[in-house]
Amino acid sequence: MTTTPDGTDEQTQGRTQGQGRTQGQGQGRAQVQVQPPRPRETGVSRLRVVHSTAIEYASPVRTSYNEVRQTPASLPGQHVLEARVEVSPRAAASRYTDYWGTQVVAFDTQLPHTRLDVVTSSLVEVEVPAAGPEPGRASWEDLAAPDLRDRFVEWLAPRPVTVPGPDLLARSQEVAGDLPPHEAALAVCSWLGQHLQYVPGSTGVHTSAAQAWEEGRGVCQDFVHVGLGALRAMGVPARYVSGYLHPDRSAPLGQAVTGQSHAWLEWWAGEWTAFDPTNNRPAGLDHVVVATGRDYGDVSPLRGIISGGSGSRLSVTVEITRLR
């Protein structure tokens, strides 16, 4: 069972080199208009996140084995003050850190059950200083160096869901033009966010970047997969980020609002830069990082295998409260 960033779910039982960037692409062609992204926010926020998942089965499940990736990461600028995962029925649980650095809670229950509840509660402080990091200054020559490509091979290699179609590849090269890597990545991610329509439920966990681009719509994971495909094809290392987004800056302190699991991306051009293409802005005070990976498949919030059971009904809610 996997849960997608926009809250939809799927129940289940049971390296190649990037293409690189074409130097001088876009010369002599009409300039593509790119709307500037929203400015970077600064300050400190404290957010309480409660992510609740309930699965009801039409007949008893005998055994269930699951992994939860919903615990926020401890990072520079993000401090986890509290975090716990509660499971019903009672389950044996353990914690480990996966290959990508994500905290995972693994649990199994051997008790027959017709309902599974997983509730992850977290308290996180996010800090974005006014004097932010300098943008990456790596050149295209730096990114093409064999040792750097080897270091970032997993963030450069295309994945089945991120391979860009020919139209996306050509147009993103045009947007990048002769800009240096950091500025090219920013322009491409800002541009693609303006050319995809956010439509909840319009795509699924197996929708590829090429399909979403062709249809012109998708959810946050599609925006990110499209961005990853474009950046990696240009030769810019990029990775998928999953987490949470507080949706309403005008909500009073202490008021719980309906939030959402969310996805954005990071690229490396000398430093890692986090950007939310769905909202055309840098990730900031409203974003809580949980996991990073090559694509959605590495960061699924909840996945598992069951024995027994039949039809199921699933509900997912995320509540986020700003406390500071």
Side-chain angles (χ1 to χ4, degrees):
M1 178 266 296
T2 60
T3 305
T4 67
D6 67 332
T8 58
D9 298 84
E10 177 183 59
Q11 183 74 30
T12 61
Q13 289 183 292
R15 216 165 347 198
T16 58
Q17 288 287 343
Q19 297 181 17
R21 178 175 179 271
T22 303
Q23 296 290 340
Q25 183 73 26
Q27 292 182 341
R29 303 176 68 176
Q31 291 294 312
V32 177
Q33 295 299 314
V34 179
Q35 178 182 342
R38 289 165 55 184
R40 176 175 169 272
E41 299 173 311
T42 62
V44 178
S45 65
R46 183 172 292 181
L47 302 171
R48 183 176 297 281
V49 181
V50 180
H51 186 153
S52 303
T53 304
I55 310 174
E56 295 180 279
Y57 301 98
S59 62
V61 170
R62 294 186 295 273
T63 57
S64 177
Y65 301 88
N66 302 274
E67 290 185 340
V68 182
R69 288 174 171 81
Q70 298 174 7
T71 303
S74 293
L75 303 166
Q78 179 171 295
H79 311 288
V80 180
L81 307 179
E82 299 174 9
R84 69 179 183 272
V85 177
E86 298 171 289
V87 178
S88 178
R90 187 172 52 195
S94 61
R95 291 179 178 268
Y96 72 93
T97 301
D98 72 11
Y99 177 80
W100 310 108
T102 301
Q103 293 188 52
V104 182
V105 174
F107 70 88
D108 64 90
T109 178
Q110 311 297 323
L111 300 173
H113 57 280
T114 56
R115 179 183 172 108
L116 176 68
D117 288 282
V118 180
V119 179
T120 302
S121 304
S122 308
L123 180 62
V124 183
E125 191 166 88
V126 179
E127 181 178 5
V128 181
E134 288 293 318
R137 295 302 180 192
S139 67
W140 292 111
E141 290 74 19
D142 294 331
L143 295 185
D147 59 340
L148 192 142
R149 292 189 64 84
D150 181 67
R151 172 185 169 191
F152 290 114
V153 63
E154 290 159 329
W155 309 128
L156 285 166
R159 302 279 291 167
V161 293
T162 67
V163 175
D167 179 66
L168 172 59
L169 182 60
R171 298 189 69 188
S172 60
Q173 292 278 10
E174 183 179 356
V175 171
D178 293 317
L179 293 170
H182 174 79
E183 287 75 10
L186 181 60
V188 167
C189 289
S190 182
W191 166 78
L192 71 85
Q194 300 161 39
H195 288 76
L196 282 176
Q197 183 181 6
Y198 182 83
V199 181
S202 60
T203 57
V205 294
H206 302 298
T207 301
S208 69
Q211 291 171 322
W213 181 256
E214 184 177 353
E215 295 176 7
R217 60 184 182 179
V219 295
C220 57
Q221 74 181 37
D222 300 302
F223 282 71
V224 175
H225 284 158
V226 169
L228 293 176
L231 295 183
R232 291 171 181 171
M234 290 163 45
V236 177
R239 61 191 182 190
Y240 191 109
V241 185
S242 71
Y244 301 103
L245 174 67
H246 189 293
D248 185 4
R249 292 303 304 275
S250 65
L253 291 178
Q255 177 179 305
V257 300
T258 300
Q260 56 185 312
S261 295
H262 194 52
W264 56 99
L265 57 77
E266 295 178 347
W267 68 75
W268 192 92
E271 300 287 344
W272 284 107
T273 297
F275 191 83
D276 182 348
T278 308
N279 294 295
N280 191 28
R281 64 182 174 106
L285 296 175
D286 300 325
H287 293 75
V288 175
V289 177
V290 170
T292 58
R294 297 164 296 178
D295 55 35
Y296 171 77
D298 290 334
V299 302
S300 176
L302 179 61
R303 62 172 46 158
I305 300 173
I306 62 173
S307 174
S310 53
S312 62
R313 183 176 63 183
L314 182 144
S315 63
V316 179
T317 62
V318 177
E319 284 192 345
I320 305 179
T321 306
R322 186 185 302 280
L323 303 176
R324 178 178 177 183

